[in-house]
Amino acid sequence: MRPFLDDLAPAELRVLARIRLAVTARLVAAAAPLDPAVRELSARPFRLALKVPGLPRALVAGLDGRVSAWAGGEAPPLRLPADLTLLFPSARDCARVLDGVPGRVLPVPGGLHAGRALRFFRAAAAAAPRILKSPETPPAVRAALLLEAAVSALVETAAADPYVAPKLEHAPDGLVVVDAGEGVRRALRKEGTRLRLVPVPGEDPGSAGAEPPDGTDPAGAGRPGGGRAEAARADAVRIDAILAFRDPGAAVAVLSGKKSAVTALGACEASIRGLVPLVQGLFAVLDRASRYLAVKADKEAGHGR
Amino acid sequence: MAADRFARSKAVFERAARVIPGGIYGTKSPGFLLPGKFPYYIESASGSRITDADGNVFVDYLCGFGSQIVGYGNPAVERAGSERSARGDLLNQPSPLMADLAERLVSRIRGMDWTVFAKNGTDATTLAVSLARVHTGKRVVIAAEGAYHGAANWCSSNLFPELAPDRADVALFRYNDLEGLEALFRRHRGNVACVILTPHHHPAFRPQVLPDPELYPTVRRLCQAEDALFVMDDIRDGFRLHPEGSHVRFGAEPDLVCVAKALANGWPLAALLGTGRVRSAADSFFITGTYWMSGAPMAAALACLDEMERMGGVGRMEALGTALREGLESAGREAGFSARVSGPAAIPYLTFDEDPDLYLNQRFCGAMADRGFFLHPHHNWFVSLAHSEADIAATVEAAREVFVEMSGER
Ligand SMILES: Cc1ncc(COP(=O)(O)O)c(C=O)c1O
């Protein structure tokens, strides 16, 4: 893939915009409780949409003090109009603005809380990268944010980019749990060439961790107790593979692209249990998604190699 | 905490990963095994044993991915190869040994009239497909899903869209799905150059499958009607299923046969053999590689063919493999598992019927590695003529312990 936004083909631009919409929506939602000012701004309800004509919109909604996000055509349980839609006239504008460089964006009010939604978005969109970069951020928090970004990028790349279709088609179907350590987990279901975010099977507050059905410890961390209880619960929804990082730091290294997954596996900083080719299929998509996310918005702004 | 038994493997890997993509790539990548349970680097080997970079010793059932058939460092093979090498291995022209080996192979592999040599199995399969296309004047290659024929773009799992044109004329059917195969022939009528199959189906990560008794007769009938060739990729199975080629075991009648791996017990050598009808295509084709005619591997191959027979050949590997299969399956059953060993006796692979995701495989093979037995969790195993009855008994005994341990975890 070409390294600069202006060199991408129109279809690639649309994939990139879709990824940016989803990653941004999920990141701002995930960052909301982590920053006092943003938490304050999300205390009261709002609904915000991010939209590019011709692409599925992303939604961020604050309700009961909790911020949730939907993207890639997923819909919230209640289909209410957004208080504010941030409308990007083109995929290129979307990719630019959401990468932090100038571009066109039109705020389109649609409800009573448009101002609140905008204030929230501005604060949260600034907070997310700040939290990610800050040395004070605990590795588990950074890992959780990066995992959130990674899974949404995976889902969107699989949905929108035909490039990864042959690899996904080749990989077996099933449910993968990604365990970044310290309780940070996300689950994806792969069906054909599609990926879907799904609840982590057996996840409840205080559960010990994702376990394969036989009760062997996926991360090799020797967590006491959890295995058999988890196995019973996992019977209902079978976990086909587990990608477990040794600790959040190891997860951060791979999810931020500093270390390749295969190298992390060899260094025992990550392990795969279960259906290895299913996870290999995800690696192929992750690789492609990372290329999109590495595309530079601006040649002039001192970006580039 | 116990010292890491793979400390040196990991340290070398860390260095390697800085300058080698993936650290170790392809089928030898640590991720294909179970990192932390298996070594990454092997320092030496002898007979049925390998010693890793940290000094851990394993009874080995991967046999250099099948290339070891008469034992690591087999003295007769090493002597033959080294003597030839000392007098010159890679020369301007081949050594006269090339004719000796060709005669030997052609008289041994049933139905074949000529042979050419190369290095990797991929060289042989790729050449076979090219010759089939040239001979028939057609493009389409029919193969089985999940079969491995090498790392060339026409058949590898590098499914990058940029490489799609290389795969464009390769059509896949589900192994043993005779109707699916017929349908492919109908769809590509007039365009099929060849069918390429392995004697039995040995996909990674899945149980192995033996050919349906109707598979080869069907292939023969369809190929005859289409005037297409049948290529037997005997690279993995070769010399372990039948001394005259694995096709003989299954009553198949290929036009081209690819062998490599066990042919020279690990010395780099592959061969493509063919029937008289494909000879003129081979005569007209530019076939070459700098190393393809080097003499030492040919000397090693001649010695290896003798050693195979001297050490008991296919019959002995069958007997050892059968003992291993029966031992493992019954030990598994006693502990309450549906452990099933699939494939021919000399090329076994254990999976658990109750666990298609291979968690139990990984648990089992990891625990066996802890005890010094190298059983790949995701790839079929190999029995060699260097394995002893005592090796098999020790393996089964260790497996019994592991199954009991595993059943306690349920
Ligand atoms: C059946 C089969 N065909 C082809 C090949 C390719 O051989 P090579 O790796 O020597 O190129 C292999 C290697 O594993 C094989 O098992």
Side-chain angles (χ1 to χ4, degrees):
Chain A
M1 187 177 300
R2 308 277 166 104
F4 294 107
L5 193 65
D6 289 342
D7 300 331
L8 296 191
E12 289 173 331
L13 261 180
R14 280 195 296 280
V15 179
L16 175 57
R18 241 187 109 150
I19 295 173
R20 287 254 182 249
L21 285 177
V23 169
T24 304
R26 290 200 195 280
L27 265 186
V28 297
L34 303 174
D35 179 280
V38 183
R39 201 162 51 227
E40 178 81 31
L41 284 165
S42 54
R44 292 196 293 154
F46 68 87
R47 295 168 59 82
L48 168 78
L50 305 173
K51 175 88 187 126
V52 176
L55 294 185
R57 65 181 189 164
L59 273 175
V60 184
L63 193 66
D64 300 330
R66 249 189 80 127
V67 181
S68 311
W70 296 267
E74 289 175 337
L78 268 176
R79 280 201 158 270
L80 295 171
D83 294 308
L84 178 74
T85 298
L86 293 178
L87 178 67
F88 303 96
S90 71
R92 184 172 176 279
D93 288 304
C94 170
R96 288 179 62 86
V97 173
L98 296 182
D99 194 28
V101 299
R104 293 173 301 165
V105 53
L106 310 169
V108 183
L112 290 175
H113 312 304
R116 190 184 294 161
L118 186 59
R119 281 194 298 281
F120 165 82
F121 183 72
R122 284 209 174 117
R130 196 171 58 231
I131 296 167
L132 274 173
K133 276 191 206 123
S134 164
E136 261 117 66
T137 302
V141 171
R142 187 175 293 123
L145 288 175
L146 285 170
L147 183 55
E148 199 63 24
V151 292
S152 35
L154 281 171
V155 168
E156 297 309 311
T157 305
D161 189 1
Y163 191 93
V164 295
K167 289 248 180 192
L168 277 170
E169 227 161 317
H170 187 70
D173 285 349
L175 187 139
V176 187
V177 169
V178 184
D179 186 339
E182 296 188 18
V184 176
R185 283 182 292 270
R186 295 300 253 142
L188 286 163
R189 180 171 289 287
K190 185 236 164 223
E191 276 161 345
T193 59
R194 285 300 175 123
L195 292 174
R196 216 158 25 92
L197 265 172
V198 293
V200 177
E203 183 98 296
D204 56 39
S207 82
E211 303 277 346
D214 68 335
T216 57
D217 187 337
R223 297 190 197 94
R228 264 153 261 179
E230 286 288 327
R233 262 172 287 168
D235 274 350
V237 181
R238 188 177 172 86
I239 300 170
D240 297 291
I242 297 165
L243 168 61
F245 291 96
R246 189 182 58 197
D247 50 46
V252 166
V254 171
L255 296 173
S256 65
K258 287 204 182 75
K259 190 164 221 167
S260 81
V262 280
T263 307
L265 287 172
C268 294
E269 290 161 4
S271 68
I272 302 173
R273 286 285 186 273
L275 211 46
V276 173
L278 174 54
V279 180
Q280 286 170 338
L282 290 197
F283 285 161
V285 186
L286 185 63
D287 188 47
R288 182 76 175 164
S290 308
R291 281 163 190 255
Y292 274 108
L293 289 169
V295 167
K296 308 279 185 234
D298 230 339
K299 284 184 192 172
E300 294 84 45
H303 290 292
R305 307 188 157 190
Chain B
M1 206 168 121
D4 186 344
R5 68 193 288 243
F6 300 116
R8 179 148 178 257
S9 256
K10 287 183 190 163
V12 175
F13 180 82
E14 210 173 299
R15 278 171 44 219
R18 287 186 212 120
V19 287
I20 301 172
I24 305 171
Y25 38 86
T27 49
K28 290 159 185 83
S29 158
F32 190 32
L33 277 161
L34 298 173
K37 287 286 181 187
F38 284 86
Y40 302 165
Y41 297 95
I42 311 290
E43 193 67 69
S44 63
S46 175
S48 63
R49 301 284 197 282
I50 53 177
T51 303
D52 74 11
D54 290 271
N56 303 300
V57 179
F58 298 83
V59 176
D60 176 42
Y61 289 96
L62 191 56
C63 296
F65 284 85
S67 62
Q68 295 296 320
I69 193 164
V70 292
Y72 290 105
N74 175 289
V77 175
E78 292 312 302
R79 201 178 315 115
S82 309
E83 275 175 8
R84 180 61 257 176
S85 184
R87 284 181 292 126
D89 176 21
L90 174 64
L91 308 167
N92 298 348
Q93 297 296 119
S95 88
L97 275 179
M98 180 160 147
D100 299 344
L101 181 59
E103 284 169 356
R104 197 60 191 279
L105 278 179
V106 165
S107 65
R108 176 164 173 150
I109 305 298
R110 196 181 294 179
M112 297 297 116
D113 300 311
W114 55 266
T115 185
V116 292
F117 297 102
K119 286 289 114 184
N120 287 290
T122 308
D123 301 331
T125 54
T126 301
L127 183 58
V129 163
S130 299
L131 290 184
R133 285 173 165 163
V134 168
H135 171 82
T136 60
K138 299 185 280 185
R139 284 281 311 163
V140 173
V141 175
I142 293 181
E145 282 168 19
Y148 187 72
H149 297 297
N153 291 344
W154 69 269
C155 59
S156 85
S157 56
N158 281 313
L159 300 174
F160 296 95
E162 293 87 342
L163 307 180
D166 295 330
R167 295 188 299 274
D169 294 314
V170 179
L172 302 178
F173 75 108
R174 219 164 6 92
Y175 189 78
N176 272 346
D177 172 9
L178 304 181
E179 280 175 25
L181 180 61
E182 301 233 16
L184 278 188
F185 268 89
R186 272 198 304 279
R187 186 173 328 142
H188 297 286
R189 181 171 299 148
N191 294 312
V192 180
C194 67
V195 174
I196 181 166
L197 292 173
T198 54
H200 85 284
H201 193 46
H202 41 60
F205 301 104
R206 274 180 280 157
Q208 304 186 89
V209 189
L210 293 175
D212 182 297
E214 281 307 306
L215 177 65
Y216 290 119
T218 305
V219 167
R220 184 177 154 76
R221 176 173 51 79
L222 293 170
C223 282
Q224 272 177 352
E226 168 74 19
D227 201 18
L229 299 185
F230 171 39
V231 181
M232 185 62 100
D233 173 356
D234 204 8
I235 287 164
R236 194 176 307 187
D237 285 352
F239 308 102
R240 280 186 164 87
L241 267 53
H242 194 283
E244 296 173 42
S246 307
H247 55 287
V248 180
R249 164 127 168 202
F250 297 119
E253 292 179 42
D255 301 286
L256 293 162
V257 172
C258 309
V259 291
K261 293 196 189 274
L263 171 60
N265 203 46
W267 286 74
L269 189 64
L272 172 66
L273 295 105
T275 56
R277 100 188 242 238
V278 203
R279 171 69 190 255
S280 76
D283 278 334
S284 67
F285 207 82
F286 183 62
I287 299 170
T288 194
T290 300
Y291 301 100
W292 286 14
M293 295 178 198
S294 62
M298 294 185 188
L302 282 164
C304 183
L305 292 169
D306 290 338
E307 278 295 276
M308 285 179 206
E309 293 319 308
R310 191 190 63 77
M311 293 174 78
V314 169
R316 176 164 167 76
M317 284 182 283
E318 284 269 332
L320 291 168
T322 302
L324 181 65
R325 179 178 65 214
E326 288 172 356
L328 291 179
E329 287 186 339
S330 85
R333 241 186 342 264
E334 282 160 25
F337 292 100
S338 304
R340 193 160 56 87
V341 176
S342 57
I347 306 188
Y349 180 50
L350 177 132
T351 48
F352 294 80
D353 287 351
E354 60 269 51
D355 175 30
D357 290 336
L358 305 182
Y359 292 109
L360 292 174
N361 259 61
Q362 292 156 358
R363 173 75 180 85
F364 174 78
C365 293
M368 289 299 284
D370 290 345
R371 288 164 171 77
F373 298 88
F374 198 114
L375 298 169
H376 202 297
H378 304 135
H379 184 287
N380 67 256
W381 313 335
F382 298 89
V383 171
S384 82
L385 290 163
H387 285 109
S388 64
E389 283 76 3
D391 285 338
I392 303 289
T395 308
V396 171
E397 205 35 55
R400 197 178 307 281
E401 266 176 48
V402 170
F403 283 129
V404 168
E405 202 175 276
M406 286 167 65
S407 83
E409 292 160 5
R410 295 219 279 199

